[in-house]
Amino acid sequence: MNQKYNLVNASWITFGGSYSGALSLWARQQHPELIVGAVGSSAPVEAEVDFWKYMQVVEDSLRSYSNDCAENVRIGFAQMIDMMNTELGREQLTELFKLDPPFSNLSLTYNDIQNFYSTIYGNFQGAVQYSGDNAGPYATGFGIPDVCRIMVNKDTDQLTSLQKVNAYMAGMYGGFDSTDNSYSDMIDYLRITEFGNDPFFDSGARSWTWQTCTEFGYFQTTDGGPNGIFGSVTPLSLYINMCRDVFGQQFDADYVTAAIRSTLDYYGGAGGYK
């Protein structure tokens, strides 16, 4: 950059948020001769395999805005978890969330069940992480106030409110028709290695999954315990299975753990940041 713009003795400062925030800080740490300062907002410089604390932040953020909102999420998820135990309950969940494919069409592995839960609480992850972002669709909605407004509506029960949030958040992508409900379909999507003509194809999904499996972890599990508002619905094994199913059987728990340890050794983690 100095050469391109004919700059002499320029002082560079990097900026970033979330993953790019970590990159900003790491760039400063690794190249202090080039970068004099760095700003990293919510920067996860401590690579972790089981990043259950992320879901705790989601819960805390909802509670700080409205305890009733968080409690209604908890009640809705408790009902959903209970219904998952019976065929009738799964049929009712299929109808309510307009699942595609329905549970009855799946072999119904643990991966399928856990993927469903991840899809539903993913709505709250997005709302919390980008609330008030003032960019793209989040500039006009889809944040904490919006999902909580739905969750505290006394005209609907808590489980129905979860679906209303699900449908509302789909508005960022043009509207709600159905809820994707196949672990194997998700894996097939992440295996795509070529760009296509689909305007909704997210090439970043595969590359980010590769980075989580080989560098950072950051797997957003619910391993913080059953008392969280989302319950204990997605263990670490779901994400390790994803790594293996997308990239190969060698990407098992031992491989992923060693890869994240290598990242910590290289950058120093939060405790070793300079």
Side-chain angles (χ1 to χ4, degrees):
M1 295 294 287
N2 289 341
Q3 293 177 347
K4 181 177 180 179
Y5 293 103
N6 297 317
L7 301 176
V8 179
N9 297 324
S11 297
W12 289 96
I13 299 176
T14 57
F15 294 83
S18 190
Y19 170 53
S20 63
L23 292 180
S24 172
L25 298 177
W26 286 331
R28 167 68 177 85
Q29 177 178 253
Q30 298 302 113
H31 298 285
E33 77 283 4
L34 300 175
I35 302 170
V36 299
V39 177
S41 176
S42 299
V45 293
E46 181 75 17
E48 296 185 62
V49 179
D50 194 336
F51 199 28
W52 61 267
K53 296 174 186 176
Y54 179 97
M55 295 303 295
Q56 187 61 58
V57 170
V58 173
E59 176 176 343
D60 291 346
S61 298
L62 294 175
R63 284 197 184 279
S64 67
Y65 182 82
S66 167
N67 190 66
D68 287 343
C69 174
E71 278 301 298
N72 284 347
V73 171
R74 181 186 63 78
I75 293 170
F77 262 81
Q79 292 175 336
M80 195 162 55
I81 293 167
D82 185 60
M83 294 169 69
M84 189 66 74
N85 292 322
T86 67
E87 183 176 352
L88 175 60
R90 292 191 293 272
E91 290 177 357
Q92 292 171 333
L93 290 174
T94 293
E95 181 178 354
L96 176 62
F97 289 95
K98 296 185 178 180
L99 300 182
D100 181 24
F103 280 125
S104 59
N105 286 14
L106 298 173
S107 58
L108 204 61
T109 65
Y110 283 116
N111 287 335
D112 287 312
I113 295 172
Q114 292 159 8
N115 179 61
F116 165 72
Y117 290 135
S118 175
T119 297
I120 303 306
Y121 71 57
N123 295 309
F124 297 95
Q125 290 177 304
V128 167
Q129 181 158 337
Y130 300 106
S131 188
D133 210 26
N134 200 32
Y138 291 101
T140 56
F142 304 105
I144 295 174
D146 307 284
V147 297
C148 280
R149 189 179 304 114
I150 296 171
M151 289 306 305
V152 299
N153 188 332
K154 297 184 183 301
D155 292 334
T156 54
D157 62 85
Q158 293 88 349
L159 185 62
T160 302
S161 293
L162 288 181
Q163 163 54 14
K164 287 184 176 293
V165 168
N166 186 47
Y168 170 73
M169 295 300 284
M172 287 190 291
Y173 308 101
F176 176 78
D177 293 317
S178 60
T179 303
D180 291 339
N181 190 46
S182 170
Y183 173 83
S184 62
D185 285 352
M186 177 192 64
I187 295 302
D188 288 342
Y189 180 83
L190 292 173
R191 285 174 174 169
I192 298 174
T193 59
E194 298 178 355
F195 289 98
N197 296 321
D198 184 353
F200 295 104
F201 176 70
D202 180 11
S203 61
R206 176 179 169 86
S207 59
W208 177 245
T209 303
W210 170 258
Q211 288 183 277
T212 58
C213 294
T214 63
E215 293 181 88
F216 305 122
Y218 298 149
F219 298 123
Q220 296 159 8
T221 75
T222 55
D223 287 342
N227 293 327
I229 61 175
F230 303 105
S232 294
V233 294
T234 50
L236 179 61
S237 59
L238 171 66
Y239 300 95
I240 299 299
N241 289 342
M242 286 175 56
C243 293
R244 297 175 65 187
D245 292 340
V246 174
F247 301 114
Q249 293 302 301
Q250 68 270 32
F251 293 87
D252 58 13
D254 290 339
Y255 179 98
V256 173
T257 300
I260 278 63
R261 170 50 56 188
S262 179
T263 298
L264 289 171
D265 289 343
Y266 184 76
Y267 289 115
Y273 183 79
K274 300 178 182 179

